Amino acid sequence: MTAPAVNTAVNGVVDPALDRVPSIDVSSTQQVPFGRLVSVELRKMTDTRAGRWLLGITLGVLVVAAGIVVIISLFDEQFSMTLSDWQGMLTFLTTMLVPTLAIMSVTQEWSQRTGLVTFALEPHRIRVILSKLVAVTLLALITLVLAAVIAVAGHAALAVTGVDVSWSVDGTDLAWTFYLQMVYFLMAFGLAMAILNTPGSIVVYYLVALILPNIVYGAVYFLLSWGPDVVPWIDLSYAVGAFRGEMPEVPSGTPDLGVGPILSTLVIWVVLPMGIGLRRILRAELK
């Protein structure tokens, strides 16, 4: 590498040629293909010790849960379980575990400082975020397929044990199960964008997806007269239940809220976190 020329004056005359600093022309350099960015993000989520352990534990939990159901069927002659029940149960388990990878796909760029490399190789931050979003969506679809395969295997095992099983699937139930799975992944991704911290994002995700719906919202829904009118507007699962008319009856009556709670919860837990997070990421200083 040659040292930059230093401008000097000879007899009071400045030579412009000596004032030029060597530079590299990168205007014709091609961008990194988007497909390559997506494949890199998928690999970063799965080709690490934490990623492999989390996916392995998830697979183990699904298999153990299916085995427990089969064992129960051996001791209960009245036991019955539809294929939709299988899918719902196994998808719920993946929703509680795998979205952690969606969180770490974003936060590791700041917590582990890999963003110094990522955004140096691809300086367009929006392209990086979009590739992460596509990778997270693909991961969610893969987990859905995995849960479906184990559900079919478990249902076949029930048939072998003598349980009278039906192979018909309720398309509406399946569609809403897929919807909730995708939304929970996107919510985890959005919260990670907004918080940019791995422990904080994981705590907030489990608070919103698990603790509040099962401990707080349930009590508010059934014990307070205004609960059925308010809770579906702020919780994803209650919004779906209210829209489908599957919420339990309460003394004050179950209101018909229409599609409003679905849209409201999407805005609160997906759109807003992603909007706030995108603003933070585009302005954040890498250091």
Side-chain angles (χ1 to χ4, degrees), residues 63-74 79 81 86 89 154 158:
V63 173
V64 169
I68 292 175
V69 171
V70 173
I71 292 174
I72 292 175
S73 70
L74 295 175
F79 182 85
M81 194 168 185
W86 275 103
M89 178 191 72
L158 288 182

Side-chain angles (χ1 to χ4, degrees), residues 9 18 20 43 112-113 118 120 156 185 212 240 244 259:
L18 297 177
R20 296 171 184 167
R43 185 173 179 179
Q112 299 178 20
R113 298 184 179 180
T118 300
F185 269 81
L212 289 178
V240 172
R244 301 189 62 190
V259 74

Side-chain angles (χ1 to χ4, degrees), residues 140-234:
L141 293 174
I142 292 171
T143 59
L144 284 170
V145 172
L146 177 63
V149 170
I150 297 178
V152 171
H155 211 51
L158 288 182
V160 172
T161 60
V163 177
D164 186 16
V165 299
S166 172
W167 289 95
S168 61
V169 178
D170 189 325
T172 303
D173 288 343
L174 193 61
W176 282 112
T177 299
F178 283 11
Y179 165 80
L180 282 175
Q181 175 81 334
M182 297 302 301
V183 170
Y184 277 121
F185 269 81
L186 294 177
M187 179 178 71
F189 187 80
L191 291 173
M193 289 176 63
I195 299 173
L196 294 181
N197 176 271
T198 302
S201 300
I202 293 176
V203 168
V204 173
Y205 172 76
Y206 283 113
L207 179 67
V208 173
L210 184 64
I211 297 176
L212 289 178
N214 291 284
I215 298 178
V216 178
Y217 294 155
V220 172
Y221 187 91
F222 290 104
L223 298 180
L224 300 178
S225 59
W226 48 266
D229 295 308
V230 175
V231 172
W233 293 88
I234 58 177

